[in-house]
Amino acid sequence: MDKPMDRSGLRPHSSHWGVFRAGWQDGTLVVEPHPGDPDPSPILQNFPKALRHRARIARPMIRRGWLENGPGPSDRRGRDEFVAVSWDRALDLLAGELARLRDTRGPQAIFGGSYGWSSAGRFHHAQSQIHRFLNIALGGYVRSVNSYSAGAANVIIPHVLGPFEPVTRHSITWEQVMEHTQMVLAFGGMAVKNSAVAGGGVSQHIERGAMGTAAARGCRFVLISPLRDDLPEEAGAEWQTITPGTDTAMMLGMAHTLASEGLHDRAFLDTYCTGWPEFEKYLMGRTDGVPKTAAWASAICGVPEARIAGLAREAAGKRVLITMAHALQRAEHGEQPVWMGAVLAAMLGQIGLPGGGFNYALGSIAHYGKRMVAVPVAGLPQGRNKVTEFIPVARISDMLLNPGAPFDYNGQRLTYPEISLVYWAGGNPFHHHQDINRLRRAFARVDTLVVHETAWTATARHADIVLPCTMTLEREDIAGSTTDPLLVAMHQLAEPYGEARDDYAIFAGLAARLGKEAEFTEGRTPREWLAHLYDRTRTALAERGLPAPDFETFWEMGELELPREEDTGGILGAFRRDPAANPLPTPSGKVEIFSGTIAGFGYEDCPGHPAWLAPVDVPDAANPLWIVANQPATRLHSQLDFGGTSADSKRRGREVMRIHPADAAARDIAEGDIVRLFNGRGACLAAAALSEAVMPGVVQLATGAWYDPADPEEEMPLCVHGNPNVLTRDAGTSRLAQGCTGQLTVLQVEKFTGNLPPVRAWEPPEAALATAAE
């Protein structure tokens, strides 16, 4: 009989998907969620098997072709073998390459490609570390702006309502929903697998319980989505299927019903909004001869005319909250559903009311719907970037393939910089980016690709210099965010794997070789940095007369509860209470139903008011099915794909694709069959699961399975593991935002009848295996 765990030996730590305590029992790491978390994420159980997994990188590695021939474009990335080297040699070679580019091309030849999410810690935050290093040691770097998750919304919301963060995170809270909301129209849903995560950590997963409480009070949830499980069962939602990518048309049909039947709030539109007359002309068909009736919308979105009109009538006069998942704007013309959702909420007169109006991304991430922390949580200072060039984050391949080419972004005409070196720490573009075969061609164009990684992701396999970095469990840090009341002392729980070093140690070593060590480290050890960063929070607590323990006391306590701000509804609530005294930070000071600024840009793919713009990527004879490439339930993005929870969710070693039984029967596909998903961009294998939770004509395959080409020598190899980004389109949402369109595309599915190729995504390259055994 196993002896019981000695819980006195558990030490606190945190992750983006939850606060926890962990310790060792009989050589196995035991992870227990924070006792105050009412709905902890199962993703926590990825840690034990991931910590010492064979996929970890043990030593610095350099691609043989780069080592022997020097820097330069190469199509051998992802195909070449690796050579193990010492840390000193790796850092000497990399410092030399950085100095070469600094002295010949300048920092504008370097793209600092980190894309967050590597750690909940505020000091060992890879994005902050790499940007601080590049700014201090080299003078800057070409940066990216916005996010893959919300690229279109990041740009459109400031034009319509005001700054993105205050509008989305600081207006509607789950407390308001539980108390006030009568009806939720959830376009794209609020899947709790998505709200399981938050940058900087989350100590209480409250979304499922909040929806259950609101539903028990009588709040009505309506889910508009091709997937039934985009709301939890606790919401008791009515599921309304909709053709993917057509939510804007449905909302226009509802808006037409409201306007034509006099159900819209004219007083609110007159007082709090600008541009209603211009939009009304379009809505009623006076500008293009096409009234946007419920019948018109039904023909596009597949929702019955009576249902569209009925929902509009039922919403009028009620405390209605319109929510919108990230998913809707990760598609062609992704700006339009976000803008139209805000306009529909304005027509209902609900913006700024507690539990009413419009909240982009509520339920899409755990930051949303929470009250703000009332004291600062410090992060690592990043220094000053002297390089002005930037790209929207989802335009990486465009930049590398088209240096010097012009592109539009938010009213600006910009030029793609010419990049010689890409430096990536804390991210995996072979997860986030679309059209992986195009991405492979793009990375072949640079002189050098550098990666800090814990494990052999596809990005690491395509790099020239691979530097093994520690996993979060192998170092100390502090976790905290602006929306979670718990500050957590992240104790080290394991020794570093192999020769892995933390990002700070790697960058300090490089900075020393470039003559910038003192400026980068400021003479502090990691523990001294933690105390320094904590002091900002401690000082703010003391100024409020609240308990403010010193650093060593906090570290021994393991956690500290922080005060939270009052729930006032943020800038939208203040605007609603007194629009004259509290105008919105938009050009008019009001909700911009029509934007003269956007209209002035002259973008045909994003006019001056929300509109239905038909997509070009739609089903046809060759590609008759939609694919929804959404977020996984068993990991954060692609992190710890080899962990226990993620690995256990796969079938025959492959990611699971859901398909409606009718679509499966038409293709002779049975439960558990391995299937091939394909279109003109690529193909992948997955295991089929038959499910009526997916509407007919749609298949669903989560992102995050590590890219695993059957034959890397091929230009368009079959991914045998199930990464949908071999299928997705690498195209911007519009000239306004240039956001990611990776949520939706079209394809065909067939049963795979050939010899089943092995999955090797988690196997190290052969050279790495040999050195790990030494």
Side-chain angles (χ1 to χ4, degrees):
M1 183 176 179
D2 293 339
K3 60 183 178 182
M5 179 75 181
D6 179 11
R7 280 166 175 75
S8 64
L10 298 179
R11 288 179 289 172
H13 207 80
S14 188
S15 67
H16 293 304
W17 48 92
V19 179
F20 62 95
R21 301 179 75 86
W24 293 88
Q25 183 176 31
D26 300 327
T28 299
L29 183 72
V30 177
V31 175
E32 294 189 353
H34 192 280
D37 191 343
D39 187 26
S41 170
I43 303 176
L44 284 172
Q45 300 310 320
N46 274 326
F47 278 127
K49 290 185 178 179
L51 187 59
R52 295 293 180 259
H53 195 278
R54 64 186 180 279
R56 294 290 304 275
I57 303 172
R59 296 181 64 183
M61 293 282 181
I62 298 183
R63 185 175 64 81
R64 183 175 294 279
W66 193 94
L67 189 64
E68 294 178 351
N69 304 319
S74 175
D75 63 3
R76 298 305 300 162
R77 293 190 177 100
R79 300 176 171 101
D80 215 344
E81 64 181 349
F82 287 90
V83 177
V85 299
S86 68
W87 269 108
D88 279 343
R89 189 178 186 199
L91 295 179
D92 286 346
L93 287 169
L94 177 52
E97 173 67 346
L98 292 170
R100 176 183 76 88
L101 292 173
R102 177 197 62 195
D103 298 339
T104 59
R105 298 266 337 274
Q108 62 270 19
I110 296 172
F111 181 68
S114 176
Y115 183 69
W117 291 115
S118 67
S119 170
R122 297 300 83 200
F123 174 66
H124 290 295
H125 179 243
Q127 191 175 57
S128 298
Q129 290 282 346
I130 185 175
H131 292 168
R132 176 180 174 84
F133 166 74
L134 293 174
N135 285 336
I136 291 174
L138 300 177
Y141 60 96
V142 174
R143 73 192 193 280
S144 62
V145 298
N146 305 327
S147 70
Y148 280 94
S149 296
N154 288 144
V155 177
I156 192 67
I157 284 176
H159 284 290
V160 177
L161 294 169
F164 183 79
E165 294 284 329
V167 167
T168 60
R169 293 193 186 185
H170 309 170
S171 56
I172 300 295
T173 64
W174 287 110
E175 293 164 290
Q176 295 174 24
V177 174
M178 288 188 286
E179 183 176 353
H180 298 287
T181 308
Q182 294 175 288
M183 184 179 188
V184 175
L185 296 174
F187 289 90
M190 295 180 281
V192 292
K193 66 179 176 60
N194 298 337
S195 57
V197 303
V202 51
S203 61
Q204 297 183 38
H205 294 88
I206 64 171
E207 292 77 9
R208 188 192 306 272
M211 283 185 263
T213 298
R217 178 182 51 78
C219 179
R220 178 185 174 194
F221 287 83
V222 181
L223 169 64
I224 301 111
S225 171
L227 308 177
R228 184 172 61 200
D229 44 13
D230 275 340
L231 276 181
E233 291 184 5
E234 287 79 359
E238 306 164 25
W239 180 31
Q240 176 58 62
T241 59
I242 186 171
T243 300
T246 64
D247 302 79
T248 301
M250 180 179 172
M251 286 186 275
L252 283 165
M254 294 178 64
H256 187 278
T257 299
L258 293 173
S260 61
E261 298 181 9
L263 299 174
H264 54 321
D265 190 332
R266 285 303 305 267
F268 182 88
L269 295 172
D270 291 342
T271 303
Y272 294 91
C273 304
T274 186
W276 167 252
E278 291 90 340
F279 175 72
E280 185 186 29
K281 293 175 186 176
Y282 167 78
L283 182 67
M284 307 312 288
R286 293 197 291 272
T287 58
D288 59 4
V290 181
K292 312 307 179 295
T293 64
W296 166 88
S298 177
I300 295 171
C301 67
V303 180
E305 174 187 356
R307 178 68 160 159
I308 295 171
L311 284 173
R313 296 173 186 132
E314 292 155 15
K318 292 187 176 65
R319 184 63 56 86
V320 175
L321 176 63
I322 296 171
T323 68
M324 188 160 300
H326 283 323
L328 269 64
Q329 53 85 70
R330 296 180 71 244
E332 287 185 73
H333 312 304
E335 298 84 359
Q336 302 309 309
V338 180
W339 198 350
M340 189 60 219
V343 170
L344 187 58
M347 292 180 68
L348 292 167
Q350 296 294 296
I351 291 177
L353 295 175
F358 172 72
N359 200 160
Y360 171 78
L362 183 68
S364 293
I365 196 169
H367 284 308
Y368 298 93
K370 309 286 182 65
R371 283 190 285 151
M372 300 299 295
V373 172
V375 293
V377 176
L380 182 68
Q382 297 182 22
R384 177 172 172 260
N385 187 353
K386 298 177 183 177
V387 176
T388 58
E389 287 92 339
F390 69 90
I391 62 165
V393 69
R395 303 274 58 81
I396 293 167
S397 291
D398 283 356
M399 172 183 70
L400 298 180
L401 291 168
N402 304 290
F407 70 98
D408 290 299
Y409 170 74
N410 201 15
Q412 304 173 72
R413 187 71 166 170
L414 303 172
T415 301
Y416 285 122
E418 184 174 350
I419 298 298
S420 296
L421 183 144
V422 173
Y423 203 138
W424 217 284
N428 180 13
F430 277 82
H431 159 72
H432 276 106
H433 204 68
Q434 285 63 60
D435 196 346
I436 284 176
N437 289 317
R438 186 170 188 256
L439 182 66
R440 294 171 80 208
R441 295 193 296 273
F443 277 143
R445 295 288 190 92
V446 300
D447 288 352
T448 303
L449 173 58
V450 186
V451 171
H452 293 198
E453 253 300 355
T454 63
W456 283 105
T457 64
T459 304
R461 293 173 191 270
H462 283 77
D464 299 308
I465 300 175
V466 181
L467 302 179
C469 60
T470 52
M471 187 183 291
T472 176
L473 302 175
E474 298 164 344
R475 59 191 182 228
E476 296 180 339
D477 213 329
I478 297 175
S481 80
T482 58
T483 57
D484 193 273
L486 210 60
L487 194 71
V488 180
M490 300 169 62
H491 287 235
Q492 183 178 347
L493 298 165
E495 291 301 313
Y497 180 82
E499 298 179 15
R501 297 181 179 180
D502 60 56
D503 295 312
Y504 180 68
I506 297 170
F507 287 128
L510 288 170
R513 287 163 170 81
L514 295 168
K516 296 290 185 178
E517 181 180 21
E519 293 92 332
F520 178 75
T521 67
E522 298 185 17
R524 296 190 182 97
T525 66
R527 174 63 78 93
E528 289 169 340
W529 267 109
L530 296 184
H532 176 70
L533 297 179
Y534 170 75
D535 192 61
R536 186 180 177 198
T537 304
R538 186 199 62 77
T539 299
L541 289 169
E543 289 173 350
R544 286 173 168 261
L546 298 172
D550 61 30
F551 176 76
E552 293 302 328
T553 303
F554 159 68
W555 198 257
E556 183 65 26
M557 293 167 55
E559 62 184 51
L560 180 64
E561 187 166 356
L562 304 178
R564 291 187 289 179
E565 300 282 5
E566 294 296 318
D567 186 3
T568 63
I571 64 171
L572 295 182
F575 172 64
R576 180 62 183 249
R577 290 188 292 272
D578 190 340
N582 305 296
L584 293 178
T586 61
S588 65
K590 300 180 179 183
V591 177
E592 300 243 337
I593 295 176
F594 173 87
S595 167
T597 300
I598 294 177
F601 296 157
Y603 299 152
E604 70 281 354
D605 55 5
C606 190
H609 56 71
W612 168 248
L613 304 172
V616 299
D617 189 32
V618 295
D620 57 20
N623 300 294
L625 298 172
W626 289 100
I627 180 172
V628 175
N630 61 354
Q631 293 300 316
T634 60
R635 57 188 171 263
L636 169 57
H637 299 314
S638 66
Q639 280 192 56
L640 307 184
D641 184 38
F642 51 87
T645 304
S646 178
D648 290 346
S649 72
K650 300 176 190 287
R651 295 187 187 177
R652 300 168 72 180
R654 288 157 230 277
E655 200 66 19
V656 175
M657 177 215 70
R658 293 193 298 172
I659 184 170
H660 191 275
D663 294 322
R667 293 162 175 78
D668 193 28
I669 295 170
E671 181 74 21
D673 281 348
I674 301 301
V675 296
R676 176 174 172 262
L677 300 85
F678 61 98
N679 59 22
R681 286 177 290 276
C684 68
L685 300 182
L690 277 56
S691 174
E692 293 187 351
V694 179
M695 68 179 284
V698 172
V699 300
Q700 177 264 322
L701 177 63
T703 60
W706 285 8
Y707 173 63
D708 188 7
D711 183 356
E713 296 294 335
E714 295 182 357
E715 287 301 307
M716 295 179 62
L718 173 72
C719 174
V720 303
H721 192 201
N723 187 320
N725 277 331
V726 299
L727 307 163
T728 50
R729 295 173 70 242
D730 185 14
T733 52
S734 79
R735 293 162 67 192
L736 180 79
Q738 298 284 4
C740 157
T741 57
Q743 186 79 14
L744 301 175
T745 192
V746 295
L747 80 169
Q748 179 60 287
V749 178
E750 65 183 10
K751 182 190 290 188
F752 184 76
T753 57
N755 294 325
L756 199 58
V759 176
R760 297 169 297 188
W762 305 335
E763 299 294 335
E766 290 185 8
L769 277 175
T771 57
E774 291 175 2

